[in-house]
Amino acid sequence: MSKTRFFFLITLVILAGGLTVLIASLAVASGKLDGQVAMALLPLVMLASIGIRALSGRNGQ
């Protein structure tokens, strides 16, 4: 794996995971954590899982 790809994937995982935690914690603090917020968080969770899978070397087959 090239250094550029590794850096991109690490950045993707850190940012997606951090944003997920930040948004979820803000929703909990304001008492607005419901299904709509959870559905809005799904793309961030999916991005983080794609990055983790790419970093671990698994191709999903």
Side-chain angles (χ1 to χ4, degrees):
M1 178 181 310
S2 68
K3 289 182 182 180
T4 306
R5 182 176 179 197
F6 181 77
F7 179 73
F8 173 74
L9 290 172
I10 286 289
T11 305
L12 177 78
V13 170
I14 291 171
L15 288 178
L19 282 174
T20 302
V21 170
L22 175 68
I23 293 170
S25 64
L26 289 174
V28 168
S30 67
K32 303 283 184 184
L33 185 61
D34 55 4
Q36 189 173 4
V37 174
M39 292 301 284
L41 289 174
L42 278 179
L44 289 172
V45 172
M46 289 170 40
L47 270 177
S49 75
I50 289 169
I52 290 170
R53 176 164 285 181
L55 283 171
S56 68
R58 291 184 287 163
N59 60 5
Q61 293 181 355

